[in-house]
Amino acid sequence: MRELTDIFVRSVFIDNMVFAYFLGMCSYLAVSKNVKTAFGLGIAVCFVLAVTVPVNYLIDKYLLQEGALAWLSPEMANVDLSYLSLILFIAIIAGIVQLLEMVIEKLSPVLYQALGIFLPLIAVNCAILGASLFMQEKHFPTVAHSFSYAMGSGVGWLLAIVAFAAIRERLKYSNIPQPLQEKGIAYIITGLLGIGFMAFLGI
Amino acid sequence: MRKYLGPLSKDNPILVQILGVCSALAVTAQLKPAVVMTLSVMVVCAVANLVISLIRNTIPPRIRIIVQLLVVSTLVIVVDQVLQAVVYDVSKMLSVFVGLIITNCIIMGRLEAFALSHKPIPSFIDGLMNGAGYGLVLVIVAFFRELLGSGTLWNYPVIPSAFYEAGYMNNGLMILPPMALILVGTLVWIQNSKKINAK
């Protein structure tokens, strides 16, 4: 249990998707004009991460890794399909996002209203594929570990985009040199936030 | 010809359109991985544009995104395998970021905006130039980060040791990831000032 919380806290603060690895920057910069939509996108990212990463973990463990196919028959034990992981992961992510969209639309129209527009955007969000690839690199022992990692990354991303959107709302009232407005200042603020987050490294 | 040169400065994908930032920044602590990443993105972007443009009339519009993703991820797998075979140390350094070329918005963006509606050869050139525009920013950022951060370029020390004896120190902050963002922010600033002055 302790291990799981460790992984969670680590991936929220220290290995933060945005500030440490710059993943999901495109939507992070595009959808952070106000806090409300930023929050919606953040929740959607958490949701998709929490589903796709464990699924990709199982795929990786039982299909792709070297020796993963041993459960089929002993001769398959030395087959290594890991070069297929990229194409399989992205296909799974695109498929799950589509599926989630349909399921949410049926089960909860309210949630669909809130998340709907963001879901298609998420299929090509680097944070999602990035989390799956990092998960593969970290060799977690169980599904629970990968789930906790996914939740941590999602919450970290949510935290980052909400904090950034809040700062951006305040920026309207500040006096920024004209060429630096909008994009330029957005990069620099993210950089400064990143430096702030580095303080967590000591934990 | 002018049209194709746009991505290098005026329509630079990173500075002006804010596309493909994700993978751009994490690989710029040193010059070498940045150059390798640039070449990979150029190859993937150009070839993907070419392939999609060749089959553009046969792709049903409804499933075009999936087709594009498949083409791009196949190319990325090829690039990844080549990198692992040829420059193993750099490929270790780039780790997941080679895989993340798949979700690089520049590539998907060019496929959607250009390759689907143009002939193969112009699409190929367009892909190449957009990859180059992306790479230009990467190389500039990596140049400053490596020079100021570790005092080397392409792993060769370029700052004379007399400087260090006189009390010069490498700026450790430059190596940290957030500095990449601040440098890109500065580049955007320069780019926009140029644009405003030109008006």
Side-chain angles (χ1 to χ4, degrees), chain B residues 54-100:
Chain B
L54 281 172
I55 56 173
R56 69 184 187 280
N57 295 326
T58 47
I59 308 175
R62 280 184 63 110
I63 58 158
R64 64 179 198 286
I65 303 273
I66 299 279
V67 175
Q68 288 164 3
L69 274 179
L70 278 179
V71 170
V72 175
S73 39
T74 317
L75 287 169
V76 171
I77 290 178
V78 173
V79 167
D80 190 25
Q81 298 289 322
V82 170
L83 287 185
Q84 280 181 20
V86 183
V87 277
Y88 186 72
D89 53 326
V90 180
S91 126
K92 265 270 160 288
M93 222 188 287
L94 292 173
S95 73
V96 304
F97 292 97
V98 179
L100 287 173

Coordinates of all heavy atoms in Angstrom, one line a residue, chain B residues 54-100:
Chain B
L54 N -0.4 10.3 -51.4 CA -0.5 9.4 -52.4 C -1.9 8.6 -52.3 O -2.5 8.3 -53.4 CB 0.6 8.3 -52.4 CG 1.9 8.7 -52.9 CD1 3.0 7.7 -52.6 CD2 1.8 8.9 -54.4
I55 N -2.3 8.4 -51.1 CA -3.6 7.6 -51.0 C -4.7 8.5 -50.6 O -5.8 8.1 -50.2 CB -3.4 6.5 -49.9 CG1 -3.0 7.1 -48.6 CG2 -2.5 5.4 -50.4 CD1 -3.0 6.0 -47.5
R56 N -4.5 9.9 -50.7 CA -5.6 10.8 -50.2 C -6.9 10.6 -50.9 O -8.0 10.8 -50.2 CB -5.1 12.2 -50.4 CG -5.1 12.7 -51.8 CD -4.5 14.2 -51.9 NE -4.6 14.7 -53.2 CZ -3.7 14.5 -54.2 NH1 -2.7 13.6 -53.9 NH2 -3.8 15.0 -55.3
N57 N -6.9 10.1 -52.1 CA -8.2 10.0 -52.8 C -9.0 8.7 -52.4 O -10.1 8.5 -52.7 CB -8.1 10.1 -54.3 CG -7.6 11.4 -54.7 OD1 -7.9 12.4 -54.1 ND2 -6.7 11.5 -55.7
T58 N -8.2 7.8 -51.8 CA -8.9 6.5 -51.4 C -9.3 6.4 -50.0 O -10.0 5.5 -49.6 CB -8.0 5.3 -51.8 OG1 -6.7 5.6 -51.3 CG2 -7.9 5.1 -53.3
I59 N -8.8 7.4 -49.1 CA -9.1 7.3 -47.7 C -10.5 7.8 -47.5 O -10.8 8.9 -47.9 CB -8.2 8.2 -46.9 CG1 -6.8 7.9 -47.2 CG2 -8.5 8.0 -45.4 CD1 -5.8 8.8 -46.4
P60 N -11.4 7.0 -46.9 CA -12.7 7.6 -46.6 C -12.6 8.6 -45.5 O -11.9 8.4 -44.5 CB -13.5 6.3 -46.0 CG -12.7 5.2 -46.3 CD -11.3 5.6 -46.5
P61 N -13.2 9.8 -45.7 CA -13.0 10.9 -44.7 C -13.3 10.5 -43.3 O -12.6 11.1 -42.4 CB -13.9 12.0 -45.2 CG -14.4 11.5 -46.5 CD -14.0 10.1 -46.8
R62 N -14.2 9.7 -43.0 CA -14.6 9.4 -41.7 C -13.5 8.7 -40.9 O -13.5 8.9 -39.7 CB -15.9 8.4 -41.7 CG -17.2 9.2 -41.9 CD -18.3 8.2 -41.8 NE -18.3 7.7 -40.5 CZ -19.3 7.9 -39.6 NH1 -20.2 8.7 -40.0 NH2 -19.3 7.4 -38.4
I63 N -12.7 7.9 -41.5 CA -11.7 7.2 -40.7 C -10.3 7.7 -41.0 O -9.3 7.0 -40.7 CB -11.8 5.6 -41.0 CG1 -11.6 5.3 -42.5 CG2 -13.1 5.0 -40.5 CD1 -11.1 3.9 -42.7
R64 N -10.2 8.9 -41.5 CA -8.9 9.4 -41.9 C -7.9 9.5 -40.8 O -6.7 9.2 -40.9 CB -9.0 10.7 -42.7 CG -9.5 11.8 -41.9 CD -9.5 13.1 -42.7 NE -9.7 14.2 -41.9 CZ -10.8 14.6 -41.3 NH1 -11.9 13.9 -41.4 NH2 -10.8 15.6 -40.5
I65 N -8.5 9.9 -39.6 CA -7.6 10.1 -38.4 C -6.9 8.7 -38.1 O -5.6 8.7 -37.9 CB -8.3 10.6 -37.2 CG1 -9.1 11.8 -37.6 CG2 -7.4 10.7 -36.0 CD1 -8.3 13.1 -37.4
I66 N -7.6 7.7 -38.1 CA -7.0 6.3 -37.8 C -6.0 6.0 -38.8 O -4.9 5.5 -38.5 CB -8.1 5.3 -37.7 CG1 -9.2 5.6 -36.6 CG2 -7.6 3.9 -37.5 CD1 -8.7 5.2 -35.3
V67 N -6.3 6.2 -40.1 CA -5.4 5.9 -41.1 C -4.1 6.7 -40.9 O -3.0 6.1 -41.0 CB -6.0 6.2 -42.5 CG1 -4.9 5.9 -43.6 CG2 -7.2 5.3 -42.8
Q68 N -4.2 8.0 -40.6 CA -3.1 8.8 -40.4 C -2.2 8.3 -39.3 O -1.0 8.2 -39.4 CB -3.5 10.2 -40.2 CG -4.0 10.9 -41.4 CD -4.8 12.2 -41.0 OE1 -4.9 12.6 -39.9 NE2 -5.3 12.8 -42.1
L69 N -2.9 8.0 -38.2 CA -2.2 7.5 -37.0 C -1.4 6.2 -37.3 O -0.3 6.0 -36.9 CB -3.2 7.2 -35.8 CG -3.5 8.3 -34.9 CD1 -4.5 7.9 -33.9 CD2 -2.3 8.9 -34.3
L70 N -2.1 5.3 -38.1 CA -1.4 4.1 -38.4 C -0.1 4.3 -39.3 O 0.9 3.8 -39.0 CB -2.3 3.1 -39.2 CG -3.3 2.4 -38.3 CD1 -4.2 1.5 -39.2 CD2 -2.5 1.5 -37.4
V71 N -0.3 5.2 -40.3 CA 0.9 5.5 -41.1 C 2.0 6.1 -40.3 O 3.1 5.6 -40.4 CB 0.5 6.5 -42.3 CG1 1.7 7.0 -43.0 CG2 -0.5 5.8 -43.2
V72 N 1.6 7.1 -39.5 CA 2.7 7.7 -38.7 C 3.3 6.8 -37.7 O 4.5 6.7 -37.6 CB 2.1 8.9 -37.9 CG1 3.1 9.6 -37.0 CG2 1.6 10.0 -38.9
S73 N 2.5 5.9 -37.0 CA 3.1 5.1 -36.0 C 4.0 4.0 -36.7 O 5.0 3.6 -36.1 CB 2.1 4.5 -35.0 OG 0.9 4.1 -35.7
T74 N 3.6 3.5 -37.9 CA 4.5 2.6 -38.6 C 5.8 3.2 -38.9 O 6.9 2.6 -38.6 CB 3.8 2.1 -39.9 OG1 2.5 1.9 -39.7 CG2 4.5 0.9 -40.4
L75 N 5.8 4.5 -39.4 CA 7.0 5.2 -39.7 C 7.9 5.4 -38.4 O 9.1 5.2 -38.4 CB 6.7 6.5 -40.3 CG 6.2 6.5 -41.7 CD1 5.7 7.8 -42.2 CD2 7.3 6.0 -42.7
V76 N 7.2 5.7 -37.3 CA 7.9 6.0 -36.1 C 8.6 4.7 -35.6 O 9.7 4.7 -35.1 CB 7.0 6.6 -35.0 CG1 7.7 6.7 -33.7 CG2 6.6 8.0 -35.4
I77 N 7.9 3.6 -35.7 CA 8.5 2.3 -35.3 C 9.8 2.1 -36.1 O 10.8 1.7 -35.6 CB 7.5 1.1 -35.5 CG1 6.4 1.2 -34.5 CG2 8.3 -0.2 -35.3 CD1 5.4 0.2 -34.6
V78 N 9.7 2.3 -37.5 CA 10.9 2.1 -38.3 C 12.0 3.0 -37.8 O 13.2 2.6 -37.6 CB 10.6 2.4 -39.8 CG1 11.8 2.4 -40.6 CG2 9.5 1.4 -40.3
V79 N 11.7 4.3 -37.6 CA 12.7 5.3 -37.2 C 13.3 4.8 -35.8 O 14.6 4.8 -35.6 CB 12.1 6.7 -37.0 CG1 13.1 7.6 -36.3 CG2 11.8 7.3 -38.4
D80 N 12.5 4.4 -34.9 CA 12.9 3.9 -33.6 C 13.9 2.8 -33.7 O 15.0 2.8 -33.1 CB 11.7 3.6 -32.8 CG 12.0 3.3 -31.3 OD1 13.0 3.9 -30.9 OD2 11.3 2.6 -30.7
Q81 N 13.5 1.8 -34.6 CA 14.4 0.6 -34.7 C 15.8 1.1 -35.3 O 16.8 0.6 -34.9 CB 13.8 -0.4 -35.6 CG 12.5 -1.0 -35.1 CD 12.7 -1.9 -33.8 OE1 13.6 -2.6 -33.8 NE2 11.8 -1.8 -32.9
V82 N 15.7 2.0 -36.3 CA 16.9 2.4 -36.9 C 17.8 3.1 -35.9 O 19.0 2.8 -35.8 CB 16.6 3.3 -38.1 CG1 17.9 4.0 -38.6 CG2 16.0 2.6 -39.3
L83 N 17.2 4.0 -35.1 CA 18.0 4.7 -34.1 C 18.6 3.8 -33.1 O 19.8 3.9 -32.8 CB 17.1 5.7 -33.3 CG 16.7 7.0 -34.1 CD1 15.9 7.9 -33.1 CD2 17.9 7.7 -34.6
Q84 N 17.8 2.7 -32.7 CA 18.4 1.8 -31.7 C 19.6 1.0 -32.3 O 20.5 0.7 -31.6 CB 17.3 0.8 -31.3 CG 16.4 1.4 -30.2 CD 15.4 0.4 -29.7 OE1 15.5 -0.8 -29.9 NE2 14.3 0.9 -29.2
A85 N 19.5 0.8 -33.7 CA 20.6 0.0 -34.3 C 21.8 0.9 -34.5 O 23.0 0.5 -34.4 CB 20.1 -0.5 -35.6
V86 N 21.6 2.2 -34.9 CA 22.7 3.0 -35.3 C 23.3 3.9 -34.2 O 24.5 3.9 -34.0 CB 22.3 3.9 -36.5 CG1 23.5 4.7 -37.0 CG2 21.7 3.1 -37.6
V87 N 22.5 4.6 -33.5 CA 23.0 5.4 -32.4 C 22.3 5.0 -31.1 O 21.5 5.7 -30.6 CB 22.8 6.9 -32.7 CG1 23.8 7.5 -33.6 CG2 21.4 7.2 -33.3
Y88 N 22.8 3.9 -30.5 CA 22.1 3.4 -29.4 C 22.1 4.3 -28.2 O 21.1 4.5 -27.5 CB 22.7 2.0 -29.0 CG 22.0 1.3 -27.9 CD1 20.7 0.8 -28.2 CD2 22.5 1.3 -26.6 CE1 20.0 0.1 -27.2 CE2 21.7 0.7 -25.6 CZ 20.5 0.1 -25.9 OH 19.8 -0.5 -24.9
D89 N 23.3 5.0 -28.0 CA 23.3 5.9 -26.8 C 22.3 7.0 -26.8 O 21.7 7.3 -25.9 CB 24.8 6.4 -26.5 CG 25.3 7.0 -27.8 OD1 25.0 6.6 -28.9 OD2 26.1 8.0 -27.6
V90 N 22.2 7.6 -28.0 CA 21.3 8.7 -28.2 C 19.9 8.2 -28.0 O 19.0 8.8 -27.4 CB 21.5 9.4 -29.5 CG1 20.5 10.6 -29.7 CG2 22.9 10.0 -29.7
S91 N 19.6 7.0 -28.6 CA 18.2 6.5 -28.5 C 17.8 6.2 -27.1 O 16.7 6.4 -26.7 CB 18.1 5.3 -29.4 OG 17.6 4.2 -28.8
K92 N 18.8 5.8 -26.3 CA 18.5 5.6 -24.8 C 18.2 7.0 -24.2 O 17.3 7.1 -23.4 CB 19.8 5.0 -24.1 CG 19.7 3.5 -24.0 CD 19.0 3.1 -22.7 CE 18.5 1.7 -22.6 NZ 17.4 1.4 -23.4
M93 N 18.9 8.0 -24.6 CA 18.7 9.3 -24.0 C 17.4 9.9 -24.4 O 16.7 10.5 -23.6 CB 19.8 10.3 -24.6 CG 20.4 11.2 -23.5 SD 21.5 12.4 -24.3 CE 22.9 11.4 -24.8
L94 N 16.9 9.6 -25.6 CA 15.6 10.1 -26.1 C 14.5 9.4 -25.5 O 13.4 9.9 -25.4 CB 15.5 10.1 -27.6 CG 16.4 11.0 -28.4 CD1 16.3 10.7 -29.9 CD2 16.1 12.5 -28.1
S95 N 14.8 8.1 -25.1 CA 13.8 7.2 -24.5 C 12.4 7.3 -25.1 O 12.2 7.1 -26.3 CB 13.8 7.3 -23.0 OG 13.1 8.5 -22.6
V96 N 11.4 7.7 -24.3 CA 10.0 7.7 -24.9 C 9.8 8.8 -25.9 O 8.7 8.7 -26.6 CB 9.0 7.8 -23.7 CG1 9.2 6.7 -22.7 CG2 9.0 9.1 -23.1
F97 N 10.6 9.7 -26.0 CA 10.3 10.8 -26.9 C 10.3 10.5 -28.4 O 9.7 11.2 -29.2 CB 11.2 12.1 -26.5 CG 10.8 12.6 -25.2 CD1 11.6 12.3 -24.1 CD2 9.7 13.4 -25.0 CE1 11.3 12.7 -22.8 CE2 9.4 13.8 -23.8 CZ 10.1 13.5 -22.7
V98 N 11.0 9.4 -28.7 CA 10.9 9.0 -30.1 C 9.5 8.5 -30.4 O 8.9 8.8 -31.4 CB 11.9 7.9 -30.4 CG1 11.8 7.4 -31.8 CG2 13.3 8.4 -30.2
G99 N 9.0 7.7 -29.4 CA 7.6 7.2 -29.6 C 6.6 8.3 -29.6 O 5.6 8.2 -30.3
L100 N 6.9 9.4 -28.9 CA 6.0 10.5 -28.8 C 5.9 11.3 -30.1 O 5.0 12.2 -30.2 CB 6.3 11.4 -27.7 CG 5.9 10.7 -26.3 CD1 6.4 11.6 -25.2 CD2 4.4 10.5 -26.2

